[in-house]
Amino acid sequence: MKTQQNGTVFTGISDFLLNCFVRSPNWQVWLSLPLSLLFLLAMGANAILLITIRLEASLHEPMYYLLSILSLLDIVLCLTVIPKVLAIFWFDLKSISFSDCFLQMFIMNCFLSMESCIFMIMAYDRYVAICHPLRYPSIITDQFVIKAAIFVLSRNVLMTLPIPVLSGRLYYCGENIIENCICANMSVSRLSCDDVTINRLYQFVVGWTLLGSDLILIFLSYTLILRAVLRLKAEGAMTKALSTCGSHFILILFFSTILLVFILTHVAKKKVSPDVPILLNVLHHVIPAALNPIVYGVRTKEIKQGIQRLLKKSW
């Protein structure tokens, strides 16, 4: 499959086959409908949120720009993963080209870590709003959002780009069936005849460095917020702050918990069906995307009013 000529490496593989739920094929039948509905909900809710923020001048503020970035990330992640999974479920279109597979791998790793980073920045936004309200307008500015976006993009692209590059340089000899619904790094790498120790180590270090540091800062922000909220004496102020931040924190906790469960099922793979982490990996690309615009958007009074005004104009 691969030859050496004048020091140049060639691979004969032109595509892979994505083989979903090998041990539980009936999962495809009952999973296809709820997955389709979640996909439509994620696309529709995020599109409405983006349109509302774009058209409503009152929402042209840093906090809503961060929400827009989160929605864009959710849309890209959903479009990268779910249509291909549904094509496998409905039409048995298992083939994916070599280049498309590694592109999907890069987008999944990069955009998931970017989403984690945006959660961290939004937690900081809430921390400043509640703990330093008088300084909020001077700290959280349009310039802050631009710098944050550049940081999110550069950090995660540079850190995750080596993942598909390392996998793409491996020697794939014969077997091209990926026992997964998506081109996850280790599912692809294990098909190689080369040593994948560096791939495993880099994925582990980068994953825990990016997501771990984000989670630590998120928990720190909400700990400081909780301490500040408990000191509030104004009537209704504590309830309002807890209501806003509580829903955000629950969503972030869900995002990190499903990721942690996915990792633990991989670690304990001898006791858990190999199809379970595959299912969790697929759901992790659509459930947060469907919940984010609802929790962050619809529960925000200004966005809810903006949607209502747009609906009245359209009628």
Side-chain angles (χ1 to χ4, degrees), residues 161-194:
L161 185 59
I163 294 174
V165 171
L166 287 170
S167 292
R169 289 174 62 85
L170 293 173
Y171 175 16
Y172 294 94
C173 49
E175 186 71 37
N176 71 333
I177 299 175
I178 302 171
E179 292 192 2
N180 206 327
C181 298
I182 55 180
C183 289
N185 179 30
M186 297 319 302
S187 296
V188 176
S189 299
R190 68 167 57 104
L191 300 180
S192 167
C193 296
D194 289 341

Side-chain angles (χ1 to χ4, degrees), residues 142-304:
D142 291 353
Q143 196 69 22
F144 169 83
V145 174
I146 294 171
K147 290 178 181 178
I150 293 171
F151 168 73
V152 169
L153 184 64
S154 56
R155 184 196 79 158
N156 294 292
V157 168
L158 291 174
M159 292 292 285
T160 59
L161 185 59
I163 294 174
V165 171
L166 287 170
S167 292
R169 289 174 62 85
L170 293 173
Y171 175 16
Y172 294 94
C173 49
E175 186 71 37
N176 71 333
I177 299 175
I178 302 171
E179 292 192 2
N180 206 327
C181 298
I182 55 180
C183 289
N185 179 30
M186 297 319 302
S187 296
V188 176
S189 299
R190 68 167 57 104
L191 300 180
S192 167
C193 296
D194 289 341
D195 183 12
V196 296
T197 303
I198 295 177
N199 295 59
R200 290 179 182 274
L201 185 61
Y202 189 82
Q203 176 96 45
F204 178 81
V205 171
V206 167
W208 283 108
T209 300
L210 296 180
L211 300 181
S213 61
D214 290 343
L215 282 175
I216 289 171
L217 292 172
I218 287 168
F219 277 97
L220 178 62
S221 296
Y222 281 104
T223 300
L224 294 173
I225 288 170
L226 183 61
R227 190 176 70 173
V229 164
L230 293 175
R231 294 176 179 173
L232 293 176
K233 295 180 180 179
E235 187 178 348
M238 183 186 295
T239 304
K240 183 179 179 182
L242 285 175
S243 175
T244 303
C245 296
S247 58
H248 294 185
F249 184 72
I250 289 169
L251 192 57
I252 292 167
L253 197 62
F254 176 80
F255 174 85
S256 55
T257 300
I258 197 169
L259 204 59
L260 185 60
V261 170
F262 169 66
I263 293 168
L264 291 176
T265 51
H266 260 299
V267 173
K269 56 186 174 183
K270 291 183 179 179
K271 298 181 181 179
V272 179
S273 169
D275 289 336
V276 172
I278 294 172
L279 174 63
L280 289 173
N281 209 348
V282 171
L283 293 178
H284 190 253
H285 287 85
V286 67
I287 293 179
L291 292 178
N292 285 342
I294 296 172
V295 173
Y296 279 97
V298 176
R299 283 180 61 88
T300 304
K301 181 182 176 181
E302 292 77 11
I303 291 180
K304 193 185 297 183

Side-chain angles (χ1 to χ4, degrees), residues 104-117:
Q104 186 190 65
M105 184 188 298
F106 169 70
I107 292 174
M108 288 189 301
N109 283 283
C110 182
F111 278 64
L112 275 175
S113 57
M114 286 172 71
E115 189 162 329
S116 171
C117 197

